[in-house]
Amino acid sequence: MNKIFLFLAAMCMLVACDPVSEDISNDGNITLDQLKQQSSVSLKGNEIFCTTSAPVNAKWTIDDKDFLGNYAWKKTKLGEHNVLLTALCADGTILTNNYPLTVTEITNPLEKFYIYGGPDRPEDQPFSPGAWDAGAMRFSSTEGKYFPTIDDAIYFGKKTLIFDISDATDDCYGRVMNGWWSARYDDDIDVHFTNGLWELPITDKMANECAKGGEGRDLDLMITSGSCTINSVYYEE
């Protein structure tokens, strides 16, 4: 329900800033069938293209990332993906439609942007965080031991952080929280750190509480049992 109210608020701001958006036909309402007829999602290799000409305020959600507006584009990975179109009509009616997709080939590869480690950062060496050491994986240039502060654009862009992990023991678990220990982002259940690429999507709550443009509490991961080696951290787009 909170997400609906936030969406309504965002849409109201969008309409207030753009008087043209208020000129909605169909007596201020359209049907779901009309929305489907006037909207399309296409896949070209690993690129998703979304568009709607429906007279509504639109929000596209591609793999949980929101794009406000009639158009959206995103590069993706191989595998299953979901696109959701949420439409707000002038009379307050909300319509939604799903577009499941399967990416089978990469034609425009995702680019890696390293936060820690990587070929262009030889000074960032693999490390093994100690159990209950909250400073080892705190993303802070002043409070953390290894990771730099994350840019607000990464937080509010809701990037997915990808951790390259090795030497993880079977009992390697930990918390996803902030540097003040005032909130957890793992539903209060320790997450399992495994070998390979371990992903952590940044949520609105994490961005608002951890970004410097928010409450500035820094994203923090902490090992609570077992051990592992962190080789690098990056996001892709």
Side-chain angles (χ1 to χ4, degrees):
M1 184 62 70
N2 287 337
K3 290 184 178 179
I4 293 176
F5 286 128
L6 289 172
F7 176 60
L8 287 170
M11 287 305 187
C12 288
M13 291 177 63
L14 181 65
V15 171
C17 296
D18 182 10
V20 177
S21 299
E22 297 178 2
D23 182 17
I24 297 180
S25 58
N26 267 352
D27 295 325
N29 189 26
I30 64 172
T31 66
L32 180 58
D33 285 340
Q34 289 172 319
L35 178 66
K36 292 179 180 179
Q37 292 169 5
Q38 298 177 66
S39 308
S40 66
V41 174
S42 60
L43 187 63
K44 296 181 181 179
N46 64 310
E47 297 178 86
I48 298 176
F49 297 87
C50 311
T51 182
T52 182
S53 60
V56 296
N57 290 316
K59 180 181 74 170
W60 293 96
T61 304
I62 306 176
D63 293 337
D64 298 324
K65 182 172 183 179
D66 295 336
F67 300 84
L68 282 177
N70 289 56
Y71 307 96
W73 167 85
K74 190 175 187 295
K75 290 192 292 184
T76 59
K77 301 178 181 180
L78 292 173
E80 304 295 325
H81 301 273
N82 187 66
V83 177
L84 173 67
L85 171 59
T86 304
L88 175 64
C89 301
D91 65 355
T93 301
I94 296 178
L95 305 172
T96 61
N97 192 42
N98 277 297
Y99 302 84
L101 299 170
T102 302
V103 175
T104 58
E105 63 174 335
I106 299 295
T107 54
N108 190 355
L110 292 164
E111 185 178 353
K112 295 180 180 179
F113 295 87
Y114 283 90
I115 297 172
Y116 182 87
D120 297 330
R121 301 174 63 96
E123 69 277 11
D124 295 342
Q125 294 297 307
F127 68 94
S128 297
W132 299 99
D133 183 352
M137 288 194 287
R138 180 171 177 173
F139 286 91
S140 172
S141 299
T142 56
E143 303 291 338
K145 295 183 177 180
Y146 298 96
F147 295 156
T149 301
I150 297 178
D151 290 339
D152 279 10
I154 297 176
Y155 276 122
F156 292 111
K158 291 194 294 185
K159 307 300 184 184
T160 295
L161 303 184
I162 303 173
F163 294 73
D164 183 348
I165 299 176
S166 62
D167 305 320
T169 58
D170 292 339
D171 63 341
C172 187
Y173 286 84
R175 295 181 181 180
V176 181
M177 58 183 190
N178 64 48
W180 291 11
W181 294 58
S182 57
R184 291 180 63 173
Y185 311 111
D186 51 19
D187 296 324
D188 292 327
I189 301 174
D190 285 8
V191 299
H192 191 195
F193 296 112
T194 56
N195 287 320
L197 301 180
W198 184 84
E199 298 188 356
L200 176 64
I202 292 179
T203 64
D204 285 329
K205 181 177 175 63
M206 292 161 65
N208 290 332
E209 295 181 351
C210 298
K212 296 306 177 186
E215 297 178 13
R217 300 183 181 183
D218 302 320
L219 179 63
D220 196 356
L221 283 71
M222 182 179 68
I223 300 294
T224 55
S225 67
S227 62
C228 68
T229 297
I230 306 297
N231 300 300
S232 63
V233 183
Y234 62 91
Y235 65 92
E236 294 179 317
E237 62 180 19

